Amino acid sequence: MIQRNAYAKINLCLEVIARRDDGYHDIVSVMQLVDLHDSLTFTPASDLIVECDDPSLAEAEANLVWRAARLLQQNAGVTSGAHIKLQKRIPMSAGLAGGSSDAAATLLGLCELWGLELSKGELRYLAAQLGSDVPFFLNGPTALVEGRGERVTHLPATLPGWAVLVCQSYDLPNKTQRLYAALKKQDMTDGNTTRQLVHTILREEFPRADLLHNSFQRAAFATFGGLDRTAHLMLKSSGRDAHLSGSGPTLYTLFTAAQRSRAHALHDTLKADGLNTYLTRLITTKP
């Protein structure tokens, strides 16, 4: 049996540059793994079987694990199957890319189970076919992501720290597509903030709040009712702004390692207010 964890990500910075001719958008982003994770186990089987402990799991996410397995099987000419068990902990459709992380973990876990020796380039090629965020999860914990998400440049890990996540649930079909469609010209930027953040990380400095930009901020706050109230509560409780991950609706606040007590206090306060809150560590070594 093979076991792998699939970690959530937050976007320390996410800038949408422009809409492409193929209908997608060019982005530049710094992505960061946190230790909130799903768990997958892989055992030999005669066919491909995917089980999940969450009965409310969105069909698209369940299929992404299966699609990753089938894609690898077909491209590598594998005739064996696998029994995959997925234990969900990452909230779905929250801007944390849990499904993409599961897909990447599936590629890596099945390579080990089936004894495959694919190159990094071959794995990246398969990952890019599964989704824009999937290639990042082959390269964590910290990376610069460009294009549709297929161009991933490994960065030195950020300094140790904490992220308090608030993941309120919203029923919004086709969330990512709708948020992209809601973007206006003034939401798009030139990537300069992301480049400044990259230089900050290369200088081994903890990310500054003024560099934690997200092009979806306006559209997300207009789309997800009550998100502004959640952000205000996070600011009031911590004295720090809340930042959007992905296209939302997850909001997060960062703390350095030395500010552990403040991170714990914010987590406990938000929990007491009934918010779906997670206290997570920034991952600083490759999982």
Side-chain angles (χ1 to χ4, degrees):
M1 180 175 70
I2 306 298
Q3 295 181 307
R4 292 197 72 92
N5 290 333
Y7 293 92
K9 63 81 180 168
I10 57 175
N11 297 82
L12 297 180
C13 192
L14 170 55
E15 294 183 84
V16 179
I17 305 301
R19 183 179 175 87
R20 296 155 47 126
D21 292 338
D22 60 8
Y24 291 95
H25 290 76
D26 279 320
I27 67 162
V28 289
S29 178
V30 173
M31 294 186 182
Q32 170 66 46
L33 292 182
V34 296
D35 66 359
L36 173 63
H37 64 82
D38 295 340
S39 299
L40 295 97
T41 60
F42 307 87
T43 53
S46 58
D47 200 356
L48 286 177
I49 304 167
V50 177
E51 289 185 28
C52 182
D53 66 342
D54 186 350
S56 67
L57 180 70
E59 182 179 349
E61 286 213 39
N63 283 345
L64 196 54
V65 170
W66 187 90
R67 281 176 52 208
R70 181 64 77 190
L71 182 66
L72 179 62
Q73 188 184 51
Q74 292 173 342
N75 277 265
V78 174
T79 57
S80 303
H83 188 175
I84 306 171
K85 290 186 178 181
L86 171 61
Q87 185 178 32
K88 286 296 294 181
R89 292 295 178 268
I90 302 171
M92 295 177 287
S93 299
L96 300 174
S100 295
S101 186
D102 293 339
T106 297
L107 292 177
L108 296 171
L110 289 180
C111 278
E112 187 175 355
L113 182 71
W114 291 336
L116 304 177
E117 297 184 358
L118 272 66
S119 68
K120 291 182 178 180
E122 289 171 319
L123 279 172
R124 284 196 298 268
Y125 173 75
L126 296 179
Q129 295 182 56
L130 294 166
S132 297
D133 287 338
V134 181
F136 162 72
F137 291 99
L138 303 174
N139 292 269
T142 311
L144 171 66
V145 177
E146 301 173 272
R148 285 178 50 193
E150 78 282 4
R151 301 205 310 271
V152 181
T153 304
H154 176 75
L155 295 173
T158 56
L159 295 177
W162 300 84
V164 176
L165 314 180
V166 178
C167 311
Q168 296 299 95
S169 179
Y170 292 85
D171 184 13
L172 186 67
N174 303 313
K175 182 205 71 172
T176 301
Q177 295 91 323
R178 290 174 68 171
L179 265 296
Y180 268 110
L183 291 175
K184 297 181 179 180
K185 185 175 181 180
Q186 63 264 32
D187 298 320
M188 300 185 188
T189 47
D190 61 3
N192 185 56
T193 303
T194 303
R195 287 189 286 272
Q196 290 183 60
L197 178 58
V198 168
H199 291 316
T200 295
I201 292 171
L202 292 175
R203 292 195 301 267
E204 299 184 353
E205 298 174 4
F206 197 76
R208 302 196 317 267
D210 63 301
L211 298 179
L212 305 183
H213 174 81
N214 190 317
S215 289
F216 288 103
Q217 189 93 357
R218 182 204 55 79
F221 275 71
T223 300
F224 300 111
L227 198 62
D228 55 345
R229 292 192 295 273
T230 300
H232 177 73
L233 182 57
M234 295 173 74
L235 174 61
K236 180 180 176 181
S237 301
S238 68
R240 294 175 175 227
D241 287 329
H243 305 282
L244 189 73
S245 182
S247 57
T250 293
L251 297 173
Y252 70 87
T253 300
L254 288 188
F255 297 88
T256 66
Q259 296 167 329
R260 175 180 176 177
S261 61
R262 293 180 61 184
H264 277 265
L266 177 59
H267 170 265
D268 293 346
T269 296
L270 298 175
K271 274 282 189 185
D273 284 324
L275 297 177
N276 187 33
T277 309
Y278 299 86
L279 178 64
T280 67
R281 291 179 185 267
L282 305 183
I283 295 178
T284 57
T285 59
K286 190 172 178 63

mmCIF file of all heavy atoms in Angstrom, residues 12 16 25 72 76 87 118 138-139 151 153 162 164 179 181 199 230 245 251 253 255 261 272:
data_model
loop_
_atom_site.group_PDB
_atom_site.id
_atom_site.type_symbol
_atom_site.label_atom_id
_atom_site.label_comp_id
_atom_site.label_asym_id
_atom_site.label_seq_id
_atom_site.Cartn_x
_atom_site.Cartn_y
_atom_site.Cartn_z
ATOM 1 N N LEU A 12 -0.155 33.551 -2.350
ATOM 2 C CA LEU A 12 0.397 34.722 -1.684
ATOM 3 C C LEU A 12 0.185 35.962 -2.542
ATOM 4 O O LEU A 12 0.001 37.063 -2.029
ATOM 5 C CB LEU A 12 1.875 34.513 -1.402
ATOM 6 C CG LEU A 12 2.223 33.365 -0.445
ATOM 7 C CD1 LEU A 12 3.736 33.278 -0.253
ATOM 8 C CD2 LEU A 12 1.518 33.534 0.899
ATOM 9 N N VAL A 16 -4.023 38.515 -12.504
ATOM 10 C CA VAL A 16 -4.511 38.159 -13.835
ATOM 11 C C VAL A 16 -4.021 39.229 -14.798
ATOM 12 O O VAL A 16 -4.267 40.424 -14.603
ATOM 13 C CB VAL A 16 -6.050 38.065 -13.858
ATOM 14 C CG1 VAL A 16 -6.534 37.708 -15.264
ATOM 15 C CG2 VAL A 16 -6.541 37.038 -12.837
ATOM 16 N N HIS A 25 -6.993 32.736 -19.370
ATOM 17 C CA HIS A 25 -6.332 33.971 -18.943
ATOM 18 C C HIS A 25 -4.881 33.676 -18.562
ATOM 19 O O HIS A 25 -4.581 32.610 -18.008
ATOM 20 C CB HIS A 25 -7.039 34.578 -17.729
ATOM 21 C CG HIS A 25 -8.386 35.155 -18.041
ATOM 22 N ND1 HIS A 25 -9.500 34.373 -18.250
ATOM 23 C CD2 HIS A 25 -8.795 36.457 -18.174
ATOM 24 C CE1 HIS A 25 -10.543 35.159 -18.491
ATOM 25 N NE2 HIS A 25 -10.149 36.412 -18.444
ATOM 26 N N LEU A 72 -2.725 8.565 -16.561
ATOM 27 C CA LEU A 72 -1.423 7.952 -16.350
ATOM 28 C C LEU A 72 -1.407 6.530 -16.884
ATOM 29 O O LEU A 72 -0.447 6.113 -17.550
ATOM 30 C CB LEU A 72 -1.083 7.962 -14.859
ATOM 31 C CG LEU A 72 0.250 7.317 -14.465
ATOM 32 C CD1 LEU A 72 1.423 8.060 -15.112
ATOM 33 C CD2 LEU A 72 0.403 7.311 -12.944
ATOM 34 N N ALA A 76 1.143 5.613 -19.942
ATOM 35 C CA ALA A 76 2.272 4.750 -19.595
ATOM 36 C C ALA A 76 2.061 3.307 -20.060
ATOM 37 O O ALA A 76 2.939 2.468 -19.858
ATOM 38 C CB ALA A 76 2.498 4.780 -18.083
ATOM 39 N N GLN A 87 -9.360 10.490 1.540
ATOM 40 C CA GLN A 87 -9.901 11.052 2.775
ATOM 41 C C GLN A 87 -9.831 12.571 2.655
ATOM 42 O O GLN A 87 -8.755 13.156 2.636
ATOM 43 C CB GLN A 87 -9.097 10.563 3.987
ATOM 44 C CG GLN A 87 -9.669 10.999 5.314
ATOM 45 C CD GLN A 87 -8.863 10.453 6.488
ATOM 46 O OE1 GLN A 87 -7.646 10.280 6.399
ATOM 47 N NE2 GLN A 87 -9.540 10.185 7.601
ATOM 48 N N LEU A 118 8.685 7.988 -14.697
ATOM 49 C CA LEU A 118 8.450 9.098 -15.612
ATOM 50 C C LEU A 118 9.359 10.264 -15.245
ATOM 51 O O LEU A 118 9.653 10.500 -14.074
ATOM 52 C CB LEU A 118 6.986 9.547 -15.550
ATOM 53 C CG LEU A 118 5.998 8.830 -16.476
ATOM 54 C CD1 LEU A 118 5.856 7.369 -16.072
ATOM 55 C CD2 LEU A 118 4.633 9.523 -16.444
ATOM 56 N N LEU A 138 3.404 19.379 -8.105
ATOM 57 C CA LEU A 138 4.582 18.536 -8.334
ATOM 58 C C LEU A 138 5.864 19.249 -7.932
ATOM 59 O O LEU A 138 6.928 18.644 -7.913
ATOM 60 C CB LEU A 138 4.673 18.143 -9.811
ATOM 61 C CG LEU A 138 3.480 17.408 -10.414
ATOM 62 C CD1 LEU A 138 3.687 17.243 -11.916
ATOM 63 C CD2 LEU A 138 3.261 16.058 -9.745
ATOM 64 N N ASN A 139 5.751 20.578 -7.595
ATOM 65 C CA ASN A 139 6.938 21.415 -7.423
ATOM 66 C C ASN A 139 7.010 22.138 -6.080
ATOM 67 O O ASN A 139 7.954 22.866 -5.839
ATOM 68 C CB ASN A 139 7.000 22.475 -8.528
ATOM 69 C CG ASN A 139 7.252 21.904 -9.893
ATOM 70 O OD1 ASN A 139 8.392 21.782 -10.315
ATOM 71 N ND2 ASN A 139 6.193 21.523 -10.586
ATOM 72 N N ARG A 151 3.432 26.904 -16.344
ATOM 73 C CA ARG A 151 4.833 27.275 -16.182
ATOM 74 C C ARG A 151 5.107 27.498 -14.698
ATOM 75 O O ARG A 151 4.634 28.475 -14.107
ATOM 76 C CB ARG A 151 5.172 28.531 -17.000
ATOM 77 C CG ARG A 151 4.915 28.376 -18.478
ATOM 78 C CD ARG A 151 5.774 29.331 -19.312
ATOM 79 N NE ARG A 151 5.722 30.700 -18.871
ATOM 80 C CZ ARG A 151 4.836 31.603 -19.283
ATOM 81 N NH1 ARG A 151 3.883 31.265 -20.136
ATOM 82 N NH2 ARG A 151 4.880 32.848 -18.846
ATOM 83 N N THR A 153 7.985 27.730 -11.654
ATOM 84 C CA THR A 153 9.387 27.939 -11.292
ATOM 85 C C THR A 153 9.528 27.784 -9.787
ATOM 86 O O THR A 153 8.931 28.544 -9.014
ATOM 87 C CB THR A 153 9.868 29.340 -11.714
ATOM 88 O OG1 THR A 153 9.650 29.515 -13.118
ATOM 89 C CG2 THR A 153 11.343 29.521 -11.401
ATOM 90 N N TRP A 162 2.603 30.951 9.956
ATOM 91 C CA TRP A 162 1.268 30.405 10.155
ATOM 92 C C TRP A 162 0.291 31.115 9.236
ATOM 93 O O TRP A 162 0.451 32.296 8.934
ATOM 94 C CB TRP A 162 0.814 30.607 11.607
ATOM 95 C CG TRP A 162 1.706 29.946 12.612
ATOM 96 C CD1 TRP A 162 2.871 30.459 13.146
ATOM 97 C CD2 TRP A 162 1.531 28.668 13.190
ATOM 98 N NE1 TRP A 162 3.408 29.555 14.028
ATOM 99 C CE2 TRP A 162 2.608 28.454 14.084
ATOM 100 C CE3 TRP A 162 0.552 27.680 13.070
ATOM 101 C CZ2 TRP A 162 2.738 27.285 14.831
ATOM 102 C CZ3 TRP A 162 0.673 26.513 13.812
ATOM 103 C CH2 TRP A 162 1.762 26.329 14.676
ATOM 104 N N VAL A 164 -3.935 31.516 9.109
ATOM 105 C CA VAL A 164 -5.273 31.230 9.622
ATOM 106 C C VAL A 164 -6.237 31.354 8.448
ATOM 107 O O VAL A 164 -6.343 32.417 7.826
ATOM 108 C CB VAL A 164 -5.660 32.202 10.751
ATOM 109 C CG1 VAL A 164 -7.097 31.942 11.204
ATOM 110 C CG2 VAL A 164 -4.696 32.066 11.923
ATOM 111 N N LEU A 179 -16.115 33.624 -11.758
ATOM 112 C CA LEU A 179 -15.263 34.689 -11.204
ATOM 113 C C LEU A 179 -14.391 35.306 -12.288
ATOM 114 O O LEU A 179 -14.191 36.527 -12.316
ATOM 115 C CB LEU A 179 -14.416 34.130 -10.069
ATOM 116 C CG LEU A 179 -14.967 34.308 -8.642
ATOM 117 C CD1 LEU A 179 -15.048 35.778 -8.248
ATOM 118 C CD2 LEU A 179 -16.342 33.675 -8.483
ATOM 119 N N ALA A 181 -15.235 35.502 -15.415
ATOM 120 C CA ALA A 181 -16.147 36.299 -16.232
ATOM 121 C C ALA A 181 -16.496 37.621 -15.557
ATOM 122 O O ALA A 181 -16.843 38.599 -16.244
ATOM 123 C CB ALA A 181 -17.416 35.496 -16.516
ATOM 124 N N HIS A 199 11.120 38.707 -5.314
ATOM 125 C CA HIS A 199 12.385 39.269 -4.818
ATOM 126 C C HIS A 199 12.430 39.243 -3.292
ATOM 127 O O HIS A 199 13.490 38.998 -2.697
ATOM 128 C CB HIS A 199 12.565 40.702 -5.336
ATOM 129 C CG HIS A 199 12.818 40.792 -6.807
ATOM 130 N ND1 HIS A 199 13.683 39.953 -7.464
ATOM 131 C CD2 HIS A 199 12.295 41.630 -7.750
ATOM 132 C CE1 HIS A 199 13.704 40.255 -8.752
ATOM 133 N NE2 HIS A 199 12.876 41.265 -8.953
ATOM 134 N N THR A 230 -16.867 38.829 6.976
ATOM 135 C CA THR A 230 -15.835 37.914 7.474
ATOM 136 C C THR A 230 -14.477 38.602 7.497
ATOM 137 O O THR A 230 -13.727 38.503 8.476
ATOM 138 C CB THR A 230 -15.765 36.652 6.590
ATOM 139 O OG1 THR A 230 -17.031 35.989 6.612
ATOM 140 C CG2 THR A 230 -14.692 35.700 7.087
ATOM 141 N N SER A 245 -7.583 33.732 -1.276
ATOM 142 C CA SER A 245 -6.823 32.672 -1.940
ATOM 143 C C SER A 245 -7.548 32.233 -3.198
ATOM 144 O O SER A 245 -8.761 31.983 -3.168
ATOM 145 C CB SER A 245 -6.642 31.464 -1.018
ATOM 146 O OG SER A 245 -5.859 30.468 -1.662
ATOM 147 N N LEU A 251 -10.487 33.119 2.844
ATOM 148 C CA LEU A 251 -9.674 34.249 3.265
ATOM 149 C C LEU A 251 -8.622 33.756 4.240
ATOM 150 O O LEU A 251 -8.864 32.813 4.997
ATOM 151 C CB LEU A 251 -10.540 35.315 3.951
ATOM 152 C CG LEU A 251 -11.619 35.992 3.100
ATOM 153 C CD1 LEU A 251 -12.499 36.878 3.973
ATOM 154 C CD2 LEU A 251 -10.997 36.806 1.975
ATOM 155 N N THR A 253 -5.064 34.997 6.872
ATOM 156 C CA THR A 253 -4.187 35.990 7.482
ATOM 157 C C THR A 253 -2.879 35.304 7.841
ATOM 158 O O THR A 253 -2.891 34.199 8.398
ATOM 159 C CB THR A 253 -4.828 36.588 8.750
ATOM 160 O OG1 THR A 253 -6.065 37.207 8.400
ATOM 161 C CG2 THR A 253 -3.924 37.633 9.380
ATOM 162 N N PHE A 255 0.960 34.998 9.697
ATOM 163 C CA PHE A 255 1.738 35.346 10.880
ATOM 164 C C PHE A 255 3.108 34.700 10.761
ATOM 165 O O PHE A 255 3.247 33.597 10.218
ATOM 166 C CB PHE A 255 1.052 34.833 12.160
ATOM 167 C CG PHE A 255 -0.284 35.435 12.438
ATOM 168 C CD1 PHE A 255 -1.445 34.872 11.903
ATOM 169 C CD2 PHE A 255 -0.395 36.576 13.223
ATOM 170 C CE1 PHE A 255 -2.686 35.423 12.157
ATOM 171 C CE2 PHE A 255 -1.646 37.137 13.481
ATOM 172 C CZ PHE A 255 -2.790 36.564 12.950
ATOM 173 N N SER A 261 1.359 32.677 18.976
ATOM 174 C CA SER A 261 0.276 32.900 19.941
ATOM 175 C C SER A 261 -0.823 33.770 19.337
ATOM 176 O O SER A 261 -2.012 33.566 19.605
ATOM 177 C CB SER A 261 0.818 33.529 21.224
ATOM 178 O OG SER A 261 1.413 34.786 20.963
ATOM 179 N N ALA A 272 -14.925 30.547 17.702
ATOM 180 C CA ALA A 272 -15.969 30.868 18.673
ATOM 181 C C ALA A 272 -17.108 31.645 18.028
ATOM 182 O O ALA A 272 -18.258 31.580 18.488
ATOM 183 C CB ALA A 272 -15.382 31.660 19.839
#
